[in-house]
Amino acid sequence: MIAATLLVIHIAAGSVALLTALVALVTAKGGVMHVRAGRVYAIGMTLIFLTAVPLAVLGADVFLLLIAFFSFYLVFAGWRFARNRSRRPQPVDWVAVAILGLTGLAMWGYAVALALGGDGQWVTMLVFGGIAVALSVADGLFFRQGLRRERRPAPYLRVQRHLTNMMAGTIATVTAVMVVNVSLNPVWLPWILPTIVITPLIVWWNVRTARQARQARRPASADRVMQ
Protein backbone atom coordinates (compact mmCIF):
# COMPACT_ATOMS: atom_id res chain seq x y z
CA MET A 1 0.00 0.00 0.00
CA ILE A 2 2.82 2.41 0.86
CA ALA A 3 4.69 1.62 -2.35
CA ALA A 4 1.51 1.99 -4.41
CA THR A 5 0.75 5.39 -2.87
CA LEU A 6 4.31 6.59 -3.42
CA LEU A 7 4.17 5.41 -7.02
CA VAL A 8 0.96 7.38 -7.70
CA ILE A 9 2.51 10.55 -6.25
CA HIS A 10 5.70 9.86 -8.19
CA ILE A 11 3.87 9.56 -11.52
CA ALA A 12 1.67 12.61 -10.85
CA ALA A 13 4.69 14.71 -9.90
CA GLY A 14 6.50 13.52 -13.02
CA SER A 15 3.60 14.55 -15.23
CA VAL A 16 3.49 18.02 -13.66
CA ALA A 17 7.27 18.36 -13.97
CA LEU A 18 7.22 17.45 -17.66
CA LEU A 19 4.45 19.93 -18.49
CA THR A 20 5.98 22.81 -16.54
CA ALA A 21 9.43 22.08 -18.03
CA LEU A 22 7.93 22.55 -21.50
CA VAL A 23 6.29 25.81 -20.41
CA ALA A 24 9.59 27.09 -18.98
CA LEU A 25 11.37 26.21 -22.23
CA VAL A 26 9.01 28.05 -24.56
CA THR A 27 8.39 31.19 -22.46
CA ALA A 28 10.64 34.24 -22.21
CA LYS A 29 13.56 33.56 -19.88
CA GLY A 30 13.18 35.60 -16.69
CA GLY A 31 9.54 36.39 -17.47
CA VAL A 32 6.66 35.80 -15.07
CA MET A 33 5.47 32.61 -16.76
CA HIS A 34 9.00 31.22 -16.95
CA VAL A 35 9.63 31.88 -13.26
CA ARG A 36 6.29 30.43 -12.14
CA ALA A 37 6.67 27.36 -14.33
CA GLY A 38 10.19 26.89 -12.99
CA ARG A 39 8.97 26.98 -9.40
CA VAL A 40 6.27 24.39 -10.03
CA TYR A 41 8.79 22.28 -11.95
CA ALA A 42 11.19 22.39 -9.01
CA ILE A 43 8.42 21.34 -6.62
CA GLY A 44 7.43 18.49 -8.93
CA MET A 45 11.02 17.26 -9.19
CA THR A 46 11.39 17.47 -5.41
CA LEU A 47 8.33 15.26 -5.00
CA ILE A 48 9.80 12.85 -7.55
CA PHE A 49 12.98 12.65 -5.48
CA LEU A 50 11.15 12.27 -2.16
CA THR A 51 9.10 9.38 -3.55
CA ALA A 52 11.87 7.77 -5.62
CA VAL A 53 14.21 7.32 -2.65
CA PRO A 54 11.81 5.24 -0.51
CA LEU A 55 10.66 3.33 -3.62
CA ALA A 56 14.28 2.50 -4.39
CA VAL A 57 14.95 1.44 -0.80
CA LEU A 58 11.79 -0.68 -0.62
CA GLY A 59 12.69 -2.34 -3.90
CA ALA A 60 16.42 -2.55 -3.14
CA ASP A 61 16.95 -0.75 -6.45
CA VAL A 62 20.43 0.80 -6.48
CA PHE A 63 19.98 1.98 -10.07
CA LEU A 64 16.86 4.03 -9.22
CA LEU A 65 18.45 5.40 -6.04
CA LEU A 66 21.49 6.75 -7.91
CA ILE A 67 19.32 8.22 -10.68
CA ALA A 68 17.14 9.91 -8.03
CA PHE A 69 20.07 11.72 -6.40
CA PHE A 70 21.53 12.63 -9.79
CA SER A 71 18.27 14.05 -11.14
CA PHE A 72 17.41 15.97 -7.98
CA TYR A 73 20.79 17.69 -7.88
CA LEU A 74 20.27 19.04 -11.40
CA VAL A 75 17.07 20.83 -10.46
CA PHE A 76 18.27 21.88 -7.00
CA ALA A 77 21.47 23.39 -8.43
CA GLY A 78 19.54 25.03 -11.28
CA TRP A 79 17.21 26.64 -8.73
CA ARG A 80 20.15 27.76 -6.56
CA PHE A 81 21.90 29.38 -9.52
CA ALA A 82 18.69 31.24 -10.35
CA ARG A 83 18.26 32.49 -6.77
CA ASN A 84 21.87 33.22 -5.81
CA ARG A 85 22.48 36.44 -7.73
CA SER A 86 25.52 37.28 -5.57
CA ARG A 87 27.26 34.26 -7.08
CA ARG A 88 28.83 33.54 -3.68
CA PRO A 89 28.36 29.87 -2.68
CA GLN A 90 26.69 28.87 0.57
CA PRO A 91 27.46 25.70 2.58
CA VAL A 92 24.43 23.95 1.05
CA ASP A 93 25.92 24.46 -2.41
CA TRP A 94 29.19 22.78 -1.42
CA VAL A 95 27.32 19.88 0.21
CA ALA A 96 25.15 19.40 -2.88
CA VAL A 97 28.06 19.44 -5.33
CA ALA A 98 30.00 16.99 -3.14
CA ILE A 99 27.02 14.61 -3.08
CA LEU A 100 26.77 14.84 -6.88
CA GLY A 101 30.46 14.00 -7.26
CA LEU A 102 30.12 11.00 -4.95
CA THR A 103 26.99 9.94 -6.84
CA GLY A 104 28.93 10.05 -10.10
CA LEU A 105 31.71 7.91 -8.65
CA ALA A 106 29.12 5.48 -7.26
CA MET A 107 27.55 5.26 -10.72
CA TRP A 108 30.91 4.32 -12.22
CA GLY A 109 31.39 1.66 -9.55
CA TYR A 110 27.90 0.29 -10.15
CA ALA A 111 28.56 0.34 -13.92
CA VAL A 112 31.47 -2.04 -13.34
CA ALA A 113 29.26 -4.32 -11.23
CA LEU A 114 26.54 -4.34 -13.91
CA ALA A 115 29.05 -5.02 -16.68
CA LEU A 116 30.51 -7.95 -14.77
CA GLY A 117 26.97 -9.28 -14.30
CA GLY A 118 26.15 -8.96 -18.01
CA ASP A 119 23.57 -6.19 -17.50
CA GLY A 120 23.47 -3.78 -20.45
CA GLN A 121 22.51 -0.89 -18.16
CA TRP A 122 26.18 -0.48 -17.32
CA VAL A 123 26.27 1.89 -20.30
CA THR A 124 23.66 4.14 -18.67
CA MET A 125 25.56 4.23 -15.40
CA LEU A 126 28.83 4.95 -17.18
CA VAL A 127 27.40 7.87 -19.17
CA PHE A 128 25.38 9.37 -16.32
CA GLY A 129 28.33 8.94 -13.97
CA GLY A 130 30.50 10.90 -16.39
CA ILE A 131 27.91 13.67 -16.61
CA ALA A 132 27.60 13.79 -12.81
CA VAL A 133 31.35 14.06 -12.29
CA ALA A 134 31.70 16.68 -15.05
CA LEU A 135 28.89 18.81 -13.62
CA SER A 136 30.25 18.53 -10.08
CA VAL A 137 33.65 19.75 -11.29
CA ALA A 138 32.13 22.60 -13.35
CA ASP A 139 29.83 23.76 -10.54
CA GLY A 140 32.60 23.34 -7.97
CA LEU A 141 34.95 25.56 -10.00
CA PHE A 142 32.20 28.17 -10.28
CA PHE A 143 31.71 28.09 -6.51
CA ARG A 144 35.43 28.31 -5.89
CA GLN A 145 35.71 31.40 -8.06
CA GLY A 146 32.66 32.84 -6.30
CA LEU A 147 34.60 32.93 -3.02
CA ARG A 148 36.79 35.73 -4.39
CA ARG A 149 34.94 39.01 -4.46
CA GLU A 150 37.38 40.66 -6.84
CA ARG A 151 37.26 37.73 -9.28
CA ARG A 152 33.67 36.58 -8.86
CA PRO A 153 32.17 34.89 -11.98
CA ALA A 154 30.45 37.17 -14.47
CA PRO A 155 26.64 37.29 -14.15
CA TYR A 156 26.12 35.52 -17.48
CA LEU A 157 28.12 32.53 -16.19
CA ARG A 158 25.55 32.13 -13.40
CA VAL A 159 22.82 32.13 -16.05
CA GLN A 160 24.74 29.48 -17.99
CA ARG A 161 25.00 27.25 -14.92
CA HIS A 162 21.27 27.74 -14.29
CA LEU A 163 20.35 26.84 -17.86
CA THR A 164 22.72 23.87 -17.99
CA ASN A 165 21.41 22.29 -14.80
CA MET A 166 17.76 22.99 -15.48
CA MET A 167 18.01 21.64 -19.03
CA ALA A 168 19.81 18.58 -17.72
CA GLY A 169 16.96 18.16 -15.24
CA THR A 170 14.56 18.35 -18.17
CA ILE A 171 16.54 15.58 -19.85
CA ALA A 172 16.01 13.47 -16.72
CA THR A 173 12.25 14.12 -16.84
CA VAL A 174 11.97 13.27 -20.55
CA THR A 175 14.12 10.18 -19.99
CA ALA A 176 11.78 8.89 -17.29
CA VAL A 177 8.77 9.27 -19.60
CA MET A 178 10.59 7.60 -22.47
CA VAL A 179 11.82 4.66 -20.40
CA VAL A 180 8.31 3.93 -19.14
CA ASN A 181 6.54 4.28 -22.49
CA VAL A 182 9.08 3.28 -25.16
CA SER A 183 10.77 -0.09 -25.59
CA LEU A 184 14.06 -0.01 -27.50
CA ASN A 185 17.10 -2.20 -27.91
CA PRO A 186 19.71 -2.17 -26.54
CA VAL A 187 18.18 -1.61 -23.08
CA TRP A 188 20.27 1.48 -22.38
CA LEU A 189 19.17 3.36 -25.52
CA PRO A 190 15.95 4.92 -24.09
CA TRP A 191 18.02 6.15 -21.12
CA ILE A 192 20.71 7.77 -23.26
CA LEU A 193 18.72 9.00 -26.29
CA PRO A 194 17.23 12.17 -24.65
CA THR A 195 20.74 13.15 -23.51
CA ILE A 196 22.08 12.76 -27.06
CA VAL A 197 19.22 14.81 -28.53
CA ILE A 198 18.97 17.64 -25.97
CA THR A 199 22.64 18.18 -25.07
CA PRO A 200 23.35 20.09 -28.32
CA LEU A 201 20.52 22.47 -27.33
CA ILE A 202 22.25 23.09 -23.98
CA VAL A 203 25.50 23.86 -25.78
CA TRP A 204 23.72 26.22 -28.20
CA TRP A 205 21.96 28.00 -25.33
CA ASN A 206 25.24 28.53 -23.47
CA VAL A 207 26.92 29.91 -26.58
CA ARG A 208 23.95 32.21 -27.20
CA THR A 209 24.03 33.47 -23.60
CA ALA A 210 27.75 34.22 -23.81
CA ARG A 211 27.30 36.03 -27.14
CA GLN A 212 24.48 38.17 -25.73
CA ALA A 213 26.64 39.06 -22.72
CA ARG A 214 29.51 40.15 -24.96
CA GLN A 215 27.17 42.27 -27.08
CA ALA A 216 25.75 43.92 -23.96
CA ARG A 217 29.26 44.92 -22.83
CA ARG A 218 30.33 46.45 -26.16
CA PRO A 219 28.53 49.85 -25.89
CA ALA A 220 30.03 50.48 -22.44
CA SER A 221 33.51 49.63 -23.74
CA ALA A 222 33.05 51.95 -26.72
CA ASP A 223 31.96 54.78 -24.43
CA ARG A 224 35.10 54.38 -22.33
CA VAL A 225 37.27 54.49 -25.43
CA MET A 226 35.58 57.70 -26.64
CA GLN A 227 36.08 59.35 -23.26
Side-chain angles (χ1 to χ4, degrees), residues 191-207:
W191 289 90
I192 304 299
L193 192 57
T195 299
I196 296 173
V197 173
I198 300 177
T199 296
L201 178 59
I202 297 176
V203 174
W204 173 82
W205 228 317
N206 278 315
V207 171

Side-chain angles (χ1 to χ4, degrees), residues 38-135:
R39 288 174 181 169
V40 177
Y41 172 70
I43 293 171
M45 290 297 288
T46 300
L47 285 174
I48 290 173
F49 173 73
L50 293 176
T51 51
V53 170
L55 283 170
V57 172
L58 290 172
D61 192 335
V62 177
F63 186 93
L64 176 60
L65 185 64
L66 292 172
I67 293 294
F69 275 95
F70 173 60
S71 302
F72 180 66
Y73 172 84
L74 300 174
V75 178
F76 175 78
W79 174 76
R80 284 290 300 153
F81 281 119
R83 298 282 295 177
N84 186 13
R85 294 182 180 275
S86 71
R87 307 182 299 285
R88 181 176 178 83
Q90 301 300 316
V92 66
D93 298 312
W94 288 111
V95 171
V97 80
I99 291 175
L100 178 66
L102 292 173
T103 299
L105 295 176
M107 284 178 165
W108 279 345
Y110 194 50
V112 173
L114 291 174
L116 293 175
D119 191 327
Q121 288 290 22
W122 70 269
V123 177
T124 303
M125 286 287 97
L126 182 66
V127 173
F128 282 11
I131 295 172
V133 171
L135 281 175

Side-chain angles (χ1 to χ4, degrees), residues 8 43 74 116 122 148 158 213-214 220 224:
V8 170
I43 293 171
L74 300 174
L116 293 175
W122 70 269
R148 309 173 189 176
R158 176 186 66 85
R214 287 195 299 269
R224 285 196 296 270

Side-chain angles (χ1 to χ4, degrees), residues 135-157:
L135 281 175
S136 67
V137 171
D139 290 352
L141 290 174
F142 182 95
F143 294 149
R144 182 182 178 184
Q145 189 177 354
L147 292 174
R148 309 173 189 176
R149 171 173 288 185
E150 69 282 0
R151 297 183 61 185
R152 199 157 290 171
Y156 84 90
L157 294 174

Side-chain angles (χ1 to χ4, degrees), residues 150-223:
E150 69 282 0
R151 297 183 61 185
R152 199 157 290 171
Y156 84 90
L157 294 174
R158 176 186 66 85
V159 176
Q160 284 185 334
R161 300 315 307 157
H162 166 69
L163 288 172
T164 296
N165 281 280
M166 279 301 195
M167 286 294 291
T170 302
I171 290 176
T173 308
V174 173
T175 300
V177 174
M178 189 166 184
V179 167
V180 171
N181 295 285
V182 179
S183 180
L184 294 173
N185 285 313
V187 293
W188 49 264
L189 186 57
W191 289 90
I192 304 299
L193 192 57
T195 299
I196 296 173
V197 173
I198 300 177
T199 296
L201 178 59
I202 297 176
V203 174
W204 173 82
W205 228 317
N206 278 315
V207 171
R208 180 171 177 265
T209 301
R211 185 183 300 118
Q212 289 175 338
R214 287 195 299 269
Q215 291 174 347
R217 289 197 300 266
R218 282 175 185 170
S221 300
D223 290 341

